[in-house]
Amino acid sequence: MFHMCQSRRWSVLFLVAALFAGAILHEVRGDSITIIYSGNLDGELEPCGCTPDGNMGGIKRHVTVIDTAREKNRDIILLSSGGLISSYTANERLTAEYILKGFQQLNYDAIGIQWSDLAYGKDFLATTPLAWVSSNWPNTVSHLHRMVIRGEKKLAVFSWLEGNPQVAGMESDVHPAVKTDELTKMLRQVKDEKALTVLMSPLSEHDSKAKFDLTLVDILIVKSAYEEFGQPRRLGNGTLVLEPGSRGMRLGQVELDINAQGKIASFRHEVIPMPSAVPDAARMTSWYDDYNARVKENYLKSVELRKSQRDGTLDYVGEQECKTCHAAQHEIWSRTRHADAFDALREVNKAFDPACIVCHTVGFNKKGGYIDDLVTDYLRNVQCESCHGSGRAHVTMNGKAPLGHSGWNKEKICQQCHIPKHSPKFNINAYWPKVAH
């Protein structure tokens, strides 16, 4: 991602250090425990770089932050409440594979299992050994709890797999068997071993309080908030509640002061952002190049398949056909960022990634839509039919037939692509004048 001279490299590293100030560069106290924690990655191996606001996080920056932290404090404990994997598109199995490989490089001390992590089955998780924890699902992949030891300090980490696979939209033979009273017994046992306890739960704070005996829980990591971390808080019994943010855009760090009774006396909390100023970890270059090569290989195979399935029906006509009758509107469009959207993918070497192509071309993965530059070069970029719908019938009938998206309002049109994941600060009133014609 970064190509820079040595002086610029040091300026970037200085900026990174400033971002982490007070978080990972503090003096390590002898009576403290430092935890860096995260929540649902939700399949986000890397950020969408279409907007500065969305260009946050990603595993390569994640590694940079953790490596920097461990240089200052080798005893940092790394926890994730799980939800690493997403399975909404066919290509995401490959992404999931490389997310697991990436997390293997991070060496987390404990990772909770959520239903999304089981999208491809238990055996899929076993292909890349990680420190999985599932306290109510005994299995051969994860532990009921993990005991993390730093010197004389012990941290026992538990994780709860809530609900059932049918509710989660999955077909699975995974059936949580351990009840909450058995979890209470396990918590009490590790308490007898003078360990601090952490319970990671996909439930809200309210639901967790109703379900678990939190008098035995020192730290409760609850359901991830969307992107932003919540403020940490103490319950009446002293339990510290942490609320991670989703999508891997930030990390949370909490430093705990432990008193003579082995309780949390006080804590300091920081959220570590990971914007584009945080450099990619050099040691992850081969991992990322291998991932992109596999994505490209899959894309080229799909291109050949779609070529073989073409039946001559071309629902999309391309912007030059539209220009014939709508020259003034075409001229306005040609001056917008939509008109060179595909070039933006080339600049970041993503012109082969289906997750990106779909919003930078016309009709990708639809009948008669974009396939590749050789066959359908006339459907590159965000064109008229991206917003207004397929135009073949409209052209054939000399404008008498409606366009594919006839009747759609402007919000529906834009939200095909301008969703929070890609365009977090999208505002129809601010964006529409830029493309109105």
Side-chain angles (χ1 to χ4, degrees):
M1 181 181 291
F2 288 85
H3 304 281
M4 61 186 76
C5 65
Q6 188 67 16
S7 62
R8 187 181 174 199
R9 174 179 172 82
W10 280 109
S11 67
V12 170
L13 290 176
F14 179 81
L15 175 58
V16 173
L19 288 169
F20 302 161
I24 62 177
L25 302 184
H26 58 71
E27 180 182 354
V28 180
R29 300 168 183 251
D31 58 349
S32 68
I33 294 176
T34 301
I35 298 171
I36 292 180
Y37 70 99
S38 57
N40 290 59
L41 189 67
D42 293 338
E44 300 278 345
L45 180 145
E46 60 183 329
C48 174
C50 291
T51 65
D53 299 314
N55 193 4
M56 294 274 289
I59 290 178
K60 292 182 291 180
R61 296 174 192 165
H62 196 143
V63 173
T64 295
V65 173
I66 298 305
D67 285 353
T68 303
R70 283 180 171 145
E71 287 176 5
K72 301 298 178 181
N73 180 2
R74 292 182 303 171
D75 291 335
I76 278 177
I77 295 172
L78 204 53
L79 305 178
S80 168
S81 59
L84 305 186
I85 293 173
S86 175
S87 59
Y88 296 110
T89 66
N91 202 50
E92 287 189 343
R93 184 185 179 100
L94 175 62
T95 302
E97 176 187 335
Y98 277 83
I99 285 173
L100 298 188
K101 289 179 178 179
F103 263 66
Q104 193 174 44
Q105 296 297 313
L106 283 159
N107 195 25
Y108 265 71
D109 292 287
I111 303 173
I113 291 180
Q114 297 186 23
W115 283 116
S116 62
D117 297 312
L118 293 164
Y120 305 113
K122 180 182 67 175
D123 292 341
F124 180 79
L125 297 187
T127 61
T128 308
L130 293 173
W132 295 110
V133 180
S134 184
S135 302
N136 58 325
W137 173 45
N139 66 87
T140 58
V141 173
S142 65
H143 295 263
L144 292 177
H145 77 274
R146 294 191 72 90
M147 185 68 78
V148 183
I149 300 175
R150 296 290 188 271
E152 297 181 356
K153 304 180 185 71
K154 297 179 180 179
L155 193 74
V157 185
F158 297 80
S159 179
W160 191 260
L161 182 62
E162 176 63 20
N164 62 68
Q166 284 69 41
V167 172
M170 295 172 50
E171 294 295 330
S172 175
D173 59 357
V174 175
H175 301 288
V178 175
K179 308 301 181 184
T180 52
D181 58 342
E182 295 173 78
L183 173 65
T184 299
K185 291 178 183 177
M186 289 190 286
L187 287 165
R188 186 171 289 114
Q189 180 180 344
V190 297
K191 274 294 186 184
D192 291 341
E193 299 176 29
K194 309 301 182 186
L196 283 175
T197 54
V198 178
L199 175 59
M200 302 186 293
S201 166
L203 299 172
S204 66
E205 176 185 333
H206 176 271
D207 291 342
S208 294
K209 287 192 290 188
K211 191 175 191 74
F212 306 115
D213 179 3
L214 297 182
T215 61
L216 297 168
V217 176
D218 294 297
I219 302 171
L220 174 67
I221 302 180
V222 297
K223 179 181 179 180
S224 297
Y226 184 71
E227 294 186 356
E228 299 279 357
F229 277 63
Q231 286 295 322
R233 54 263 186 195
R234 299 291 291 268
L235 301 182
N237 69 324
T239 300
L240 174 62
V241 179
L242 302 176
E243 184 180 19
S246 65
R247 298 188 61 211
M249 304 176 84
R250 300 162 180 84
L251 295 170
Q253 177 169 291
V254 60
E255 184 182 356
L256 310 171
D257 294 322
I258 311 302
N259 63 23
Q261 290 73 44
K263 298 287 188 181
I264 299 173
S266 61
F267 69 92
R268 288 163 297 285
H269 185 267
E270 298 282 350
V271 175
I272 306 171
M274 293 184 285
S276 58
V278 177
D280 298 335
R283 69 183 180 93
M284 300 300 289
T285 299
S286 61
W287 164 84
Y288 187 62
D289 289 348
D290 190 35
Y291 168 69
N292 277 330
R294 292 277 302 280
V295 172
K296 186 173 184 177
E297 178 186 357
N298 284 359
Y299 168 64
L300 293 176
K301 287 179 180 177
S302 72
V303 165
E304 292 305 313
L305 178 62
R306 289 198 299 275
K307 286 179 181 178
S308 70
Q309 294 174 338
R310 296 184 87 197
D311 61 3
T313 303
L314 303 176
D315 291 350
Y316 296 91
V317 297
E319 42 90 11
Q320 286 299 316
E321 284 281 359
C322 303
K323 181 181 179 181
T324 303
C325 295
H326 304 284
Q329 291 85 349
H330 185 277
E331 173 62 24
I332 294 171
W333 166 81
S334 68
R335 297 195 297 268
T336 69
R337 292 179 63 187
H338 283 170
D340 59 3
F342 198 81
D343 287 340
L345 294 187
R346 288 183 172 136
E347 290 171 6
V348 294
N349 194 29
K350 283 294 180 181
F352 55 81
D353 192 331
C356 303
I357 293 172
V358 67
C359 281
H360 290 251
T361 60
V362 178
F364 181 66
N365 277 340
K366 296 179 181 178
K367 186 178 179 181
Y370 178 85
I371 294 177
D372 70 357
D373 273 3
L374 294 177
V375 177
T376 52
D377 63 319
Y378 63 97
L379 296 179
R380 287 197 305 264
N381 302 314
V382 179
Q383 299 186 19
C384 317
E385 292 167 291
S386 300
C387 300
H388 300 292
S390 57
R392 173 62 60 189
H394 184 77
V395 170
T396 303
M397 298 293 292
N398 295 318
K400 295 178 181 178
L403 290 162
H405 296 166
S406 179
W408 286 25
N409 60 36
K410 57 187 179 183
E411 288 82 3
K412 185 175 181 179
I413 289 172
C414 295
Q415 287 170 359
Q416 294 178 90
C417 288
H418 288 282
I419 58 176
K421 178 177 179 179
H422 304 306
S423 190
K425 292 190 176 180
F426 177 73
N427 181 312
I428 188 69
N429 295 322
Y431 278 57
W432 188 259
K434 299 177 182 180
V435 297
H437 44 271

